Every structure is written in C-alpha cells, then in structure tokens.
Amino acid sequence: MQTGKIVKALAGFYYVKSDGIVYQTRARGIFRKRKESPLVGDIVDFEADNVKEGTITHIHPRKNSLVRPQVANVDQLLITVSIKNPDFSFYLTDRFLAYSESNHITPILIVTKNDLNDDEELIKKIKETYDMYDVYFTEKDTVNESLKDIFPDKLSVLAGQTGVGKSTLLNTLLPNLNLETNEISEKLNRGKHTTRHVELIDKNNGQIADTPGFSTIDFTHIDKEDLRFYFKEFNDYLDDCKFRGCVHINEPKCAVKDAVNNGDIKESRYNSYLQIYEEMTNYKERY
C-alpha cells in the first residue's frame, strides 16, 4: 500500500504522484457504489505492481473540494480577470471572491492584459475596491516577478471568466507548458475553452491546477443567509448591527448599510452582494 496525491485525471484514469513517481491508476468499484469520485488534489492510498496498473483504495479526508473545477484540497484561488477584452467586471470579480471565501480558500486577484489599458482611474478603483486582498497586474508575455512568491507549499487553482487569458498566463509562468490558446471571438466578446482536463503542474515548490475556464459559478453549497460572511469587509461591522442575524438588506439600524452610505464599504461590493442574494433567493443560479 502506498500514499500519494492525484495530479491528473483523464479518461477514467487517475495519475497519482508518490515519492516523485507518477502511477496510472483506476478507482475501485466501491467508490462508484458510494457515488464517490476521486479528485485531482486528493491524497489517496493505492496499490500498484507497476506504474501503469494501479488501484486507488482509499481517499483521505478533504479540507475542501470544488465542483467547478473539480479539485480538492485547494490552498488558494488565483482569480484571473482581464482589464480589457473582455472588459473588467466588478460583479464577476465579486462572485469569484465570494465563491473562494465560501469554500475557505484564500483568494488572490490577478488582473491580466494591463498592456491594453489606458484608463488609470480604473486601475485606481480596482486597487481601492480590493485593498483587502492581494492584487497583481500582468501584461502579455511578461511575468510579474511578485507572482513567483505566492506558489511555495500551496496548491493553487487558476479560475476566471472564459477569455481572460488563463492559458496565456500559465504559458508565461511556465514557458515549457505550451498550452493551446485561442483568440477572443470579437462577435461574442468571449473566448473558447482551451483546456481539456484537470492537471497539477509544479511551480516554485508549489502546484497549479490547469482547469477549463468557466464564466459563472454556483452558490448552492451555502445558505443565502451565510452569503454575508463571504464579503470579507462586512465582517468588521456584524457586531454593530441592531439585529442578530442581520443580512444587511431590509433591517433597520444595519451597520453594514451605514458603512456603505458612509463610503467605508464600496457600493459596488454591496450591490454585488444584493444581486447574488437575490439570485439565491430565486433559485436561478446558472452555470
């Protein structure tokens, strides 16, 4: 019996890395009966007589797992958003941030295509709005050297709207990767999926999960009343609301709404919260 980490899932096979060696394995039938599936990032026990014919026998408990992309034990979500083509969206950025927070994963914001931007006020607004997070700006074919410090001892997932340049960013960070990239469709102002499977790639003593792009996310794993906890700056005011369990919408003497009115919480962030809350109320969340 050996223990390792699943570093790639493809066509029913799970590739488990143990002591520097990668074993091709399949999952035991018992997992299907239990309706369980191993995920990339899982720590597993497996049996293998050789590197081509192994069997996963046990999945260790996970600290978290994502549905889209399907990765377990994630340390940080690298939320990739473009400044242009497609245009920067505060609302989509807020969705990804709340999604990351709700899964108890550290979010890091990476703003791509800064070479296409000529609006310095937009840069200033992004920095001010997300000053509670680490924010990095990148340009085409240029590595932001500060990014190299975020990877050691972390499993990172790269996520973001389709067409924002995730594959381009990975190619820049990992020049030997040579991922396929597609041009943005001018008609739709959106890109095409370019990656076909989930795989962990070694980077600066850490790992990055290369995953397909997705443009919206699902909050069905949390109750709408808990959404307030995943807008980080709201938490500074929770104890000052008059009503315990205040969701900061219709309640009187709400400290969060007062903070919005005073400019201490950005109005765009609060509006994103209201929009997501309404969607959760109406059960109209779309993938």
Side-chain angles (χ1 to χ4, degrees):
M1 188 73 64
Q2 300 182 68
T3 301
K5 178 188 286 187
I6 298 177
V7 295
K8 182 168 72 170
L10 181 64
F13 289 101
Y14 301 95
Y15 296 83
V16 181
K17 190 172 185 177
S18 178
D19 295 327
I21 300 173
V22 177
Y23 297 83
Q24 179 177 283
T25 70
R26 288 190 180 274
R28 288 184 61 187
I30 189 66
F31 293 116
R32 285 193 297 273
K33 292 180 181 179
R34 296 174 182 169
K35 296 183 179 180
E36 295 180 29
S37 295
L39 298 177
V40 169
D42 270 333
I43 305 300
V44 297
D45 296 333
F46 67 102
E47 299 172 344
D49 294 327
N50 57 66
V51 297
K52 291 293 185 181
E53 298 178 353
T55 303
I56 294 174
T57 59
H58 176 68
I59 302 172
H60 289 225
R62 299 164 177 158
K63 67 178 181 181
N64 58 48
S65 63
L66 302 181
V67 176
R68 294 193 177 193
Q70 292 187 320
V71 185
N73 300 313
V74 179
D75 296 304
Q76 54 192 11
L77 193 67
L78 311 186
I79 300 170
T80 311
V81 291
S82 58
I83 201 82
K84 293 285 185 182
N85 194 26
D87 290 343
F88 186 88
S89 168
F90 286 92
Y91 173 63
L92 285 178
T93 301
D94 292 338
R95 288 183 71 92
F96 282 113
L97 287 168
Y99 179 72
S100 184
E101 295 279 9
S102 67
N103 283 285
H104 307 290
I105 299 170
T106 300
I108 294 175
L109 188 58
I110 301 176
V111 184
T112 64
K113 305 184 185 181
N114 197 43
D115 49 299
L116 302 180
N117 180 56
D118 56 6
D119 185 353
E120 290 302 320
E121 284 301 313
L122 177 57
I123 297 292
K124 181 181 178 182
K125 185 176 180 182
I126 292 171
K127 290 179 177 179
E128 290 178 348
T129 301
Y130 302 110
D131 64 353
M132 73 290 283
Y133 294 112
D134 290 332
V135 183
Y136 298 86
F137 293 85
T138 68
E139 299 182 1
K140 185 178 181 181
D141 301 326
T142 302
V143 176
N144 183 331
E145 293 297 324
S146 298
L147 279 175
K148 294 181 178 180
D149 297 330
I150 69 176
F151 295 109
D153 303 317
K154 304 291 185 182
L155 195 167
S156 305
V157 168
L158 196 66
Q161 182 185 17
T162 304
V164 297
K166 293 188 299 300
S167 292
T168 298
L169 177 62
L170 276 181
N171 281 334
T172 304
L173 292 169
L174 306 162
N176 295 327
L177 196 58
N178 294 321
L179 290 178
E180 174 191 358
T181 57
N182 289 335
E183 292 297 320
I184 302 296
S185 166
E186 293 183 5
K187 182 177 180 180
L188 297 177
N189 194 33
R190 57 193 282 188
K192 301 176 181 179
H193 297 311
T194 58
T195 44
R196 301 288 186 264
H197 63 275
V198 180
E199 181 174 359
L200 298 185
I201 304 160
D202 292 334
K203 173 65 177 177
N204 286 29
N205 298 314
Q207 293 175 310
I208 312 175
D210 173 33
T211 63
F214 55 100
S215 57
T216 57
I217 49 183
D218 175 35
F219 286 98
T220 55
H221 62 290
I222 63 171
D223 294 327
K224 66 180 182 179
E225 289 78 13
D226 291 335
L227 178 64
R228 58 196 166 124
F229 299 123
Y230 307 124
F231 278 71
K232 189 174 182 178
E233 64 273 45
F234 289 14
N235 293 323
D236 294 335
Y237 301 92
L238 297 184
D239 293 339
D240 296 325
C241 291
K242 179 178 180 180
F243 294 101
R244 187 175 183 180
C246 179
V247 295
H248 321 309
I249 298 178
N250 296 316
E251 300 91 339
K253 297 185 179 180
C254 168
V256 168
K257 288 191 292 183
D258 288 343
V260 174
N261 292 332
N262 295 333
D264 295 324
I265 291 177
K266 297 296 183 182
E267 188 174 1
S268 63
R269 290 276 290 164
Y270 182 68
N271 289 339
S272 293
Y273 168 76
L274 292 179
Q275 191 168 342
I276 297 171
Y277 188 94
E278 182 178 2
E279 290 177 357
M280 294 176 72
T281 300
N282 294 331
Y283 298 102
K284 291 181 179 179
E285 194 68 47
R286 303 184 68 178
Y287 290 84

